[in-house]
Amino acid sequence: MLLFTVGFLDINFVDVLDILLVSVLLFHLYKLIKGSVALKIFVGGLSIYLTYLVVKATDMELLSEILSQFIDVGVIAAIILFQQEIRKFLLIIGKSTDFKNFPIFQLFRGKGKHEEINLDILAIIDAMKDMSGTNTGALIVISKDSDLQFYADTGDYVDAKISKRLLLSIFFKNSPMHDGACLIYNNRIQAARCILPVSENPNIPATMGLRHRAGIGMTENTNAIVLIVSEETGQMSFIKSGKIDHNLSAMELRTKIRSYMSDGQEEQAQKTA
């Protein structure tokens, strides 16, 4: 359906929709790579492509042939240059697509049926309280959906049942495994001394150290939650989806963990009570 004409161009509804979708895509792409070196590489590649379109339209055959060689390998080059950004983009899509909330999956799970909380929260809270009292830094990642194998490979495998003593020994200041994150999945300590992705969010306060930035980065890239004990202040923090809650009590921390493990049902019940 023709909407209007600009010179020799006939603009229809599909053309307008196409431009809007491309604009939204470019906007989100800019937000993703803003503040990184990837932005300059992207602008450079886009400039080459626009130049190629102009050269091709003006029938400059030699220059068009040279630039076309860059365009032909552009997809492969983009995957190599932007592998971190592409991975982050796909993770964001995966996080926003929660298949568990689809009606067809809820039929199999049963309407109103609560998932069992399979996590020894008490042992984790008791260990964090002791570490908070002695200003022992700790970085604990808890996942209910994935074993986080990629991050576990960066550390040392433990594969042990959760216990207060084991957590205290891992984060003991003279322990060789205290530096890094401890991963918990399926009620077991999967690995320790793991390396987490550091957040590139420019809005993070300068007062936050590398431990908090790594915790924020982990929750930006996965559906896991992160528990932190500050080595400077002893404060306990909870991080989910890139948002951090500081200076929490043991009861508040326990409530947030239980809410995460039960898909937010407990926290919602407290709000409506």
Side-chain angles (χ1 to χ4, degrees):
M1 181 178 66
L2 182 64
L3 296 179
F4 55 89
T5 302
V6 179
F8 59 89
L9 296 177
D10 294 331
I11 308 298
N12 55 37
F13 176 76
V14 175
D15 295 327
V16 174
L17 181 62
D18 188 22
I19 294 172
L20 288 176
L21 291 176
V22 172
S23 301
V24 171
L25 179 63
L26 290 176
F27 172 72
H28 285 287
L29 184 62
Y30 171 75
K31 287 179 61 178
L32 184 66
I33 63 179
K34 182 178 64 175
S36 65
V37 180
L39 178 60
K40 297 181 180 179
I41 299 175
F42 174 74
V43 172
L46 185 61
S47 300
I48 293 176
Y49 180 69
L50 293 176
T51 303
Y52 168 73
L53 294 179
V54 173
V55 167
K56 188 176 180 180
T58 53
D59 293 330
M60 298 182 183
E61 296 183 2
L62 181 59
L63 192 55
S64 178
E65 183 65 26
I66 295 174
L67 292 177
S68 67
Q69 301 303 315
F70 289 96
I71 304 301
D72 291 340
V73 297
V75 176
I76 299 176
I79 294 175
I80 296 174
L81 294 173
F82 299 106
Q83 54 180 322
Q84 293 295 332
E85 285 73 19
I86 292 173
R87 183 173 176 274
K88 185 177 179 181
F89 179 69
L90 294 176
L91 283 169
I92 291 173
I93 294 176
K95 284 182 65 178
S96 61
T97 307
D98 191 359
F99 292 101
K100 293 185 297 183
N101 294 327
F102 284 10
I104 188 171
F105 286 95
Q106 291 179 350
L107 288 175
F108 289 102
R109 292 171 58 192
K111 187 175 181 181
K113 185 178 180 180
H114 294 266
E115 293 184 357
E116 181 182 355
I117 299 177
N118 183 29
L119 181 67
D120 191 353
I121 300 177
L122 184 60
I124 299 173
I125 297 297
D126 286 346
M128 291 189 65
K129 284 170 61 179
D130 283 10
M131 289 186 286
S132 176
T134 58
N135 281 27
T136 300
L139 181 59
I140 301 174
V141 180
I142 301 176
S143 173
K144 64 177 180 180
D145 300 321
S146 170
D147 59 3
L148 303 176
Q149 187 69 36
F150 175 80
Y151 302 101
D153 289 339
T154 65
D156 298 324
Y157 281 93
V158 178
D159 192 24
K161 185 178 179 181
I162 298 174
S163 71
K164 174 183 174 181
R165 292 181 180 179
L166 182 54
L167 287 171
L168 291 176
S169 64
I170 287 175
F171 291 108
F172 179 62
K173 294 180 180 179
N174 294 329
S175 169
M177 292 196 296
H178 84 283
D179 190 18
C182 172
L183 305 186
I184 293 178
Y185 172 69
N186 197 22
N187 204 34
R188 296 182 70 83
I189 299 176
Q190 183 182 9
R193 204 179 62 84
C194 300
I195 300 173
L196 304 185
V198 179
S199 176
E200 297 180 0
N201 187 348
N203 297 322
I204 297 177
T207 54
M208 288 190 184
L210 189 60
R211 182 179 286 111
H212 290 80
R213 290 177 177 271
I216 294 174
M218 185 66 174
T219 60
E220 287 175 342
N221 287 278
T222 68
N223 284 321
I225 58 172
V226 174
L227 313 178
I228 293 179
V229 177
S230 173
E231 192 172 358
E232 289 75 23
T233 64
Q235 292 183 358
M236 296 186 293
S237 302
F238 175 91
I239 309 176
K240 181 182 178 182
S241 301
K243 298 179 181 179
I244 183 169
D245 292 317
H246 285 295
N247 197 20
L248 299 177
S249 65
M251 184 61 68
E252 291 172 328
L253 202 59
R254 179 180 179 182
T255 301
K256 288 184 176 294
I257 297 173
R258 288 183 62 87
S259 175
Y260 166 74
M261 296 301 296
S262 59
D263 288 331
Q265 293 168 349
E266 180 171 319
E267 187 174 349
Q268 185 64 29
Q270 288 186 356
K271 290 180 179 179
T272 56

